Amino acid sequence: MRTLWSDARHFQIAALSSLLLINFFSIDFGAKPLYSVLAIAAALLTQIFCTLISGSRRIDLRSALVTGLSLSLLLRADAAWLPALAGVVAIASKFILRIDGRHIFNPAGFAIVLLLSLSSGVWISPGQWGTSLWLATLLVFLALLVLQAAQRSDIALFFLGAHGALLLARASWLGDPLAIPLHQMQSGSLLIFAFFMISDPKTTPDSRVARLFSAVTIATLGHYLAFFMQMRPALYVALIALCPLTALLNRLIPAKKFAWTPTIQGASS
Amino acid sequence: MTEGFMTKGIVTKGFVTKTLRSRLKAGAAVVVIGAQLAVTSGPASAFCGFYVAKADAKMFNKSSKVVLARIGQQTAITMASDYEGKPSEFALVVPVPSFIQKSQISVVDTKTVDHLDAFTAPRLVEYYDPNPCEQNYPVLAFDIAPTARLGAVPAPPSQHAYPGVKVEARYDVAEYEISILSAEQSDGLIRWLTDNGYKIPAGAEPVIGSYIKQKMHFFVAKVNIKRFDALGRAYLRPLQVRYETNKFMLPLRLGTVNANGPQDLTVYALTRRGRVEATNYRTVKVPSDINVPLFVAHDFPNVYKALFDHAVARQNMHGVFVEYAWDMGWCDPCAAPPLRQAELAELGWGSGPGANPAGNSSALSGSSDAFVTRLHVRYDAQSFPEDLNFIETGDRENFQARYILNHPYAGAASCADGKRYEAALPERYRREADNLAGLTGWSSQSIAARMAAAGQPIAGAK
């Protein structure tokens, strides 16, 4: 057991798979099994292909599986090739777009933003999880498991804190009742973003202070895009736009580089 | 299910879909049509704006219909409601994203909105089992015609300057007197509205204040009784405003202020890419494609109302319900014929902010590519604290709220297959009863009793 849970991705895979099952069975207009299979298969195959070309002999599919699952949960499409393309784009971006020996963009987030900007056949469905409390609780529960395993997922909490503070500030400025920011915070999609996307340890800064800075910046940009630009995928766009900041922050505030497991350095990209 | 006995074909009042003609010729048995619904029987309601009454006349709104046509950032919003008070007491206050010119406002024929409502309405479809001993079936048809609703009624005049309040423009549009207001503070605006005969409910101030800070303008309308009388109409017509905005939303909040219980709103979104869904509330499908007992034919509006109530309760009143999502070019079955291009244009489809949809058909940019999504929301301030935000998806998959009546073969079926068929009927009826109980929450006994009275005795029931 100990070895099994020593890698945070195992938690992530279990959590994301559970969410995907809920999505299949209880959400209208939710994920389509075939599309999910295609997104995941494309991500895995691209990972294998890119690993082989890059000359590495150690193929690790766990990160790619996390990416494929994330895409399945977050991206909707009207044609089967689109989720497959998303899987390819996501993983290829890890191998191609790199600075200082690590990838720049959150792979799933990058694919989502790129496809949303290029194709009218894809969309996101941020309202799909509703605000059901039990689901929120479940998400938090699953996410906490992930947090415990990947110590630096504190960025998820920083982000939720910053996002919540901004929503509260906005409500207070507008004179809106507290019910409005609370409703906005209860979004299941927001929790998925916070716990499974922004907290991807490979694309978050190494030092805690930098992670706090990064989280606040993403929340602020996301807030601007959502409320002033009326952009629906505001958080994804904010995240991807600010991913390059991570490399800069790592240079300015160096700290120990992340590895999925303490013993296997750089097990996967 | 009894699929094996069914052949499809649809007939509606004066209209047979092309695709179905051939099937009818081929010997189909069938029928039917939509009905008009729930919406008309719901409790008090208002809509994205609110109705306010002059004097102390009781505010009374049942349900509202909003057609939201949107291509890119070009948006046309057509508002109709079941206002049943006096026209002189009708008043409407709607936040709009920008200043509105006169050319951006028009009045829409009630029939056009009703047509769209009928086209997208939840529908009942009937199938007639063929003689289980033969291969020839009869063709029958009947029609539960949708009923139309509309309404609204006016309030009084206005004048003068108030601190921070700017009357940007005043227009006379058909029976309406419209003012476009901007304001810096909610109290000034509320004073202006009050002094001009708009009765503003107590809780409106913070909501208005919030819209003011979001730089919204206010579209304020009441009825000019002289013109209304001169027009000789029985009802107020729906008002349409067209503008360009990046905000794809409906301001619900003002409508909850004077609400007397939850309200119903039906949104008919016309878009190009595909289905529309809410981004800040969960969008769900109403249950559909379910076989129900035959007596439902005579009570469909009530059945659908109960069904919708039940669906709302299951979502704890947090859901936005899709009742229809379909390409505007066709339908199957058709609860009403698809809208003509001129009707779509009247609803603002393909027209820019300055276009005159009534007269200028060149403003059309193609109507057959419209995709309609019918969303039904029951809301109050508690369940829907925030305005409704939308997103247009690329999903063009069709969905309709459709309930199936399956008439058993009425003649004598003396062959062995016929005996088996007849023996299986009570069990089939029981399933229909269970379906209806599950849909509406009605008790099995009451359903069984109504079915027995309609000649559908249930297996195992006395």
Short mmCIF file of all heavy atoms in Angstrom, two decimals, chain A residues 154-191:
data_model
loop_
_atom_site.label_atom_id
_atom_site.label_comp_id
_atom_site.label_asym_id
_atom_site.label_seq_id
_atom_site.Cartn_x
_atom_site.Cartn_y
_atom_site.Cartn_z
N ASP A 154 -0.42 22.72 -2.21
CA ASP A 154 -0.90 23.87 -1.45
C ASP A 154 -1.33 24.99 -2.39
O ASP A 154 -2.14 25.84 -2.03
CB ASP A 154 0.18 24.38 -0.48
CG ASP A 154 1.51 24.61 -1.16
OD1 ASP A 154 1.58 24.52 -2.41
OD2 ASP A 154 2.49 24.88 -0.46
N ILE A 155 -0.85 24.95 -3.62
CA ILE A 155 -1.24 26.00 -4.57
C ILE A 155 -2.75 25.98 -4.81
O ILE A 155 -3.36 27.01 -5.07
CB ILE A 155 -0.45 25.87 -5.91
CG1 ILE A 155 -0.70 27.11 -6.77
CG2 ILE A 155 -0.82 24.61 -6.65
CD1 ILE A 155 0.21 27.21 -7.98
N ALA A 156 -3.36 24.79 -4.70
CA ALA A 156 -4.81 24.70 -4.89
C ALA A 156 -5.52 25.52 -3.81
O ALA A 156 -6.47 26.24 -4.09
CB ALA A 156 -5.27 23.24 -4.83
N LEU A 157 -5.03 25.38 -2.59
CA LEU A 157 -5.66 26.13 -1.51
C LEU A 157 -5.38 27.63 -1.64
O LEU A 157 -6.26 28.46 -1.41
CB LEU A 157 -5.18 25.60 -0.15
CG LEU A 157 -5.54 24.14 0.10
CD1 LEU A 157 -4.99 23.67 1.45
CD2 LEU A 157 -7.05 23.94 0.04
N PHE A 158 -4.14 27.96 -2.04
CA PHE A 158 -3.83 29.37 -2.27
C PHE A 158 -4.78 29.94 -3.32
O PHE A 158 -5.31 31.03 -3.18
CB PHE A 158 -2.38 29.56 -2.76
CG PHE A 158 -1.34 29.18 -1.75
CD1 PHE A 158 -0.08 28.74 -2.17
CD2 PHE A 158 -1.60 29.28 -0.39
CE1 PHE A 158 0.90 28.40 -1.25
CE2 PHE A 158 -0.62 28.94 0.55
CZ PHE A 158 0.62 28.49 0.11
N PHE A 159 -4.96 29.16 -4.38
CA PHE A 159 -5.81 29.64 -5.47
C PHE A 159 -7.25 29.81 -5.00
O PHE A 159 -7.88 30.85 -5.25
CB PHE A 159 -5.76 28.68 -6.67
CG PHE A 159 -6.82 28.99 -7.68
CD1 PHE A 159 -6.67 30.06 -8.56
CD2 PHE A 159 -8.00 28.25 -7.74
CE1 PHE A 159 -7.68 30.38 -9.47
CE2 PHE A 159 -8.99 28.56 -8.65
CZ PHE A 159 -8.83 29.63 -9.51
N LEU A 160 -7.78 28.79 -4.33
CA LEU A 160 -9.17 28.90 -3.87
C LEU A 160 -9.34 30.08 -2.92
O LEU A 160 -10.35 30.79 -2.96
CB LEU A 160 -9.61 27.60 -3.20
CG LEU A 160 -9.89 26.44 -4.15
CD1 LEU A 160 -10.22 25.17 -3.37
CD2 LEU A 160 -11.03 26.77 -5.11
N GLY A 161 -8.32 30.29 -2.09
CA GLY A 161 -8.37 31.43 -1.17
C GLY A 161 -8.41 32.74 -1.94
O GLY A 161 -9.25 33.62 -1.68
N ALA A 162 -7.51 32.87 -2.91
CA ALA A 162 -7.44 34.11 -3.68
C ALA A 162 -8.72 34.32 -4.49
O ALA A 162 -9.28 35.41 -4.53
CB ALA A 162 -6.23 34.07 -4.62
N HIS A 163 -9.17 33.25 -5.11
CA HIS A 163 -10.38 33.32 -5.93
C HIS A 163 -11.57 33.73 -5.05
O HIS A 163 -12.35 34.62 -5.41
CB HIS A 163 -10.61 31.96 -6.57
CG HIS A 163 -11.74 31.93 -7.55
ND1 HIS A 163 -11.70 32.58 -8.76
CD2 HIS A 163 -12.96 31.34 -7.48
CE1 HIS A 163 -12.84 32.39 -9.40
NE2 HIS A 163 -13.63 31.63 -8.65
N GLY A 164 -11.68 33.08 -3.90
CA GLY A 164 -12.78 33.38 -2.99
C GLY A 164 -12.72 34.83 -2.51
O GLY A 164 -13.73 35.52 -2.44
N ALA A 165 -11.51 35.28 -2.21
CA ALA A 165 -11.36 36.66 -1.72
C ALA A 165 -11.78 37.65 -2.80
O ALA A 165 -12.46 38.65 -2.53
CB ALA A 165 -9.91 36.90 -1.31
N LEU A 166 -11.40 37.35 -4.04
CA LEU A 166 -11.79 38.25 -5.13
C LEU A 166 -13.31 38.27 -5.32
O LEU A 166 -13.91 39.31 -5.56
CB LEU A 166 -11.10 37.82 -6.43
CG LEU A 166 -9.61 38.18 -6.52
CD1 LEU A 166 -8.95 37.43 -7.67
CD2 LEU A 166 -9.46 39.69 -6.72
N LEU A 167 -13.92 37.09 -5.24
CA LEU A 167 -15.38 37.02 -5.40
C LEU A 167 -16.07 37.79 -4.28
O LEU A 167 -17.04 38.51 -4.51
CB LEU A 167 -15.85 35.57 -5.42
CG LEU A 167 -15.46 34.75 -6.65
CD1 LEU A 167 -15.91 33.29 -6.49
CD2 LEU A 167 -16.07 35.34 -7.92
N LEU A 168 -15.53 37.64 -3.08
CA LEU A 168 -16.10 38.37 -1.94
C LEU A 168 -15.94 39.87 -2.12
O LEU A 168 -16.85 40.66 -1.87
CB LEU A 168 -15.42 37.94 -0.64
CG LEU A 168 -15.94 36.66 0.01
CD1 LEU A 168 -15.08 36.30 1.20
CD2 LEU A 168 -17.40 36.85 0.45
N ALA A 169 -14.75 40.25 -2.59
CA ALA A 169 -14.49 41.68 -2.79
C ALA A 169 -15.44 42.23 -3.85
O ALA A 169 -16.01 43.32 -3.69
CB ALA A 169 -13.04 41.89 -3.22
N ARG A 170 -15.64 41.46 -4.90
CA ARG A 170 -16.54 41.92 -5.96
C ARG A 170 -17.97 42.07 -5.42
O ARG A 170 -18.64 43.07 -5.67
CB ARG A 170 -16.51 40.92 -7.12
CG ARG A 170 -17.46 41.28 -8.24
CD ARG A 170 -17.38 40.31 -9.42
NE ARG A 170 -18.46 40.53 -10.35
CZ ARG A 170 -18.46 41.48 -11.29
NH1 ARG A 170 -17.42 42.29 -11.40
NH2 ARG A 170 -19.49 41.64 -12.09
N ALA A 171 -18.40 41.06 -4.67
CA ALA A 171 -19.76 41.11 -4.13
C ALA A 171 -19.91 42.30 -3.20
O ALA A 171 -20.93 42.99 -3.21
CB ALA A 171 -20.07 39.81 -3.40
N SER A 172 -18.88 42.55 -2.42
CA SER A 172 -18.97 43.65 -1.49
C SER A 172 -19.00 44.99 -2.23
O SER A 172 -19.75 45.89 -1.90
CB SER A 172 -17.82 43.53 -0.51
OG SER A 172 -17.31 44.76 -0.18
N TRP A 173 -18.21 45.09 -3.30
CA TRP A 173 -18.22 46.31 -4.11
C TRP A 173 -19.59 46.53 -4.77
O TRP A 173 -20.12 47.63 -4.80
CB TRP A 173 -17.11 46.21 -5.18
CG TRP A 173 -17.19 47.27 -6.22
CD1 TRP A 173 -17.12 48.62 -6.02
CD2 TRP A 173 -17.35 47.08 -7.63
NE1 TRP A 173 -17.23 49.28 -7.22
CE2 TRP A 173 -17.38 48.37 -8.22
CE3 TRP A 173 -17.46 45.96 -8.45
CZ2 TRP A 173 -17.53 48.56 -9.60
CZ3 TRP A 173 -17.60 46.14 -9.82
CH2 TRP A 173 -17.64 47.43 -10.38
N LEU A 174 -20.17 45.44 -5.25
CA LEU A 174 -21.46 45.57 -5.94
C LEU A 174 -22.63 45.66 -4.98
O LEU A 174 -23.74 46.00 -5.37
CB LEU A 174 -21.68 44.36 -6.87
CG LEU A 174 -20.76 44.23 -8.08
CD1 LEU A 174 -21.02 42.91 -8.80
CD2 LEU A 174 -20.98 45.40 -9.04
N GLY A 175 -22.37 45.34 -3.72
CA GLY A 175 -23.47 45.31 -2.76
C GLY A 175 -24.31 44.06 -2.90
O GLY A 175 -25.47 44.03 -2.51
N ASP A 176 -23.72 43.02 -3.46
CA ASP A 176 -24.45 41.76 -3.65
C ASP A 176 -24.52 40.96 -2.35
O ASP A 176 -23.61 41.03 -1.53
CB ASP A 176 -23.75 40.90 -4.72
CG ASP A 176 -23.99 41.44 -6.11
OD1 ASP A 176 -24.90 42.28 -6.28
OD2 ASP A 176 -23.26 41.03 -7.04
N PRO A 177 -25.55 40.17 -2.20
CA PRO A 177 -25.63 39.32 -1.01
C PRO A 177 -24.54 38.25 -1.03
O PRO A 177 -24.05 37.86 -2.09
CB PRO A 177 -27.02 38.69 -1.11
CG PRO A 177 -27.38 38.78 -2.55
CD PRO A 177 -26.72 40.01 -3.08
N LEU A 178 -24.23 37.77 0.14
CA LEU A 178 -23.19 36.76 0.28
C LEU A 178 -23.53 35.49 -0.50
O LEU A 178 -22.65 34.73 -0.91
CB LEU A 178 -23.05 36.43 1.78
CG LEU A 178 -21.78 35.71 2.20
CD1 LEU A 178 -20.56 36.54 1.86
CD2 LEU A 178 -21.82 35.41 3.70
N ALA A 179 -24.82 35.28 -0.71
CA ALA A 179 -25.24 34.07 -1.43
C ALA A 179 -24.58 33.97 -2.80
O ALA A 179 -24.33 32.87 -3.30
CB ALA A 179 -26.76 34.08 -1.59
N ILE A 180 -24.29 35.11 -3.41
CA ILE A 180 -23.72 35.07 -4.76
C ILE A 180 -22.28 34.55 -4.77
O ILE A 180 -22.00 33.57 -5.48
CB ILE A 180 -23.87 36.45 -5.45
CG1 ILE A 180 -25.37 36.65 -5.75
CG2 ILE A 180 -23.04 36.54 -6.71
CD1 ILE A 180 -25.71 37.90 -6.49
N PRO A 181 -21.36 35.14 -4.00
CA PRO A 181 -20.02 34.54 -4.01
C PRO A 181 -20.01 33.10 -3.49
O PRO A 181 -19.23 32.28 -3.98
CB PRO A 181 -19.19 35.46 -3.11
CG PRO A 181 -20.16 36.28 -2.35
CD PRO A 181 -21.39 36.38 -3.22
N LEU A 182 -20.88 32.80 -2.56
CA LEU A 182 -20.92 31.42 -2.06
C LEU A 182 -21.35 30.47 -3.17
O LEU A 182 -20.77 29.40 -3.35
CB LEU A 182 -21.90 31.30 -0.89
CG LEU A 182 -21.40 31.85 0.44
CD1 LEU A 182 -22.46 31.67 1.53
CD2 LEU A 182 -20.09 31.16 0.85
N HIS A 183 -22.34 30.89 -3.92
CA HIS A 183 -22.79 30.07 -5.05
C HIS A 183 -21.66 29.91 -6.06
O HIS A 183 -21.43 28.82 -6.59
CB HIS A 183 -24.01 30.72 -5.69
CG HIS A 183 -24.49 30.01 -6.91
ND1 HIS A 183 -24.21 30.45 -8.19
CD2 HIS A 183 -25.20 28.86 -7.06
CE1 HIS A 183 -24.75 29.60 -9.06
NE2 HIS A 183 -25.35 28.64 -8.41
N GLN A 184 -20.94 30.98 -6.31
CA GLN A 184 -19.84 30.90 -7.28
C GLN A 184 -18.73 29.98 -6.79
O GLN A 184 -18.11 29.28 -7.58
CB GLN A 184 -19.30 32.32 -7.55
CG GLN A 184 -20.28 33.17 -8.34
CD GLN A 184 -19.98 34.66 -8.26
OE1 GLN A 184 -19.36 35.13 -7.30
NE2 GLN A 184 -20.42 35.41 -9.25
N MET A 185 -18.51 29.98 -5.49
CA MET A 185 -17.46 29.12 -4.94
C MET A 185 -17.86 27.65 -4.94
O MET A 185 -17.01 26.77 -4.91
CB MET A 185 -17.13 29.54 -3.50
CG MET A 185 -16.26 30.76 -3.37
SD MET A 185 -14.66 30.60 -4.18
CE MET A 185 -13.79 29.52 -3.04
N GLN A 186 -19.16 27.39 -4.92
CA GLN A 186 -19.61 26.00 -4.81
C GLN A 186 -19.54 25.24 -6.13
O GLN A 186 -20.02 24.12 -6.22
CB GLN A 186 -21.06 25.97 -4.32
CG GLN A 186 -21.17 26.06 -2.82
CD GLN A 186 -22.62 26.11 -2.41
OE1 GLN A 186 -23.46 25.40 -2.94
NE2 GLN A 186 -22.93 26.95 -1.46
N SER A 187 -19.01 25.86 -7.15
CA SER A 187 -18.97 25.19 -8.44
C SER A 187 -18.04 23.98 -8.43
O SER A 187 -16.87 24.08 -8.04
CB SER A 187 -18.49 26.21 -9.48
OG SER A 187 -17.88 25.55 -10.54
N GLY A 188 -18.57 22.87 -8.83
CA GLY A 188 -17.76 21.65 -8.90
C GLY A 188 -16.60 21.80 -9.88
O GLY A 188 -15.50 21.30 -9.65
N SER A 189 -16.86 22.52 -10.97
CA SER A 189 -15.81 22.71 -11.97
C SER A 189 -14.64 23.49 -11.40
O SER A 189 -13.49 23.25 -11.76
CB SER A 189 -16.37 23.45 -13.18
OG SER A 189 -17.38 22.69 -13.76
N LEU A 190 -14.95 24.43 -10.52
CA LEU A 190 -13.89 25.22 -9.90
C LEU A 190 -12.98 24.33 -9.06
O LEU A 190 -11.75 24.43 -9.10
CB LEU A 190 -14.53 26.31 -9.02
CG LEU A 190 -13.55 27.16 -8.22
CD1 LEU A 190 -12.74 28.06 -9.16
CD2 LEU A 190 -14.28 28.00 -7.19
N LEU A 191 -13.62 23.42 -8.31
CA LEU A 191 -12.82 22.53 -7.48
C LEU A 191 -11.95 21.60 -8.33
O LEU A 191 -10.80 21.33 -8.00
CB LEU A 191 -13.74 21.71 -6.57
CG LEU A 191 -14.47 22.51 -5.48
CD1 LEU A 191 -15.34 21.60 -4.65
CD2 LEU A 191 -13.48 23.24 -4.59
#
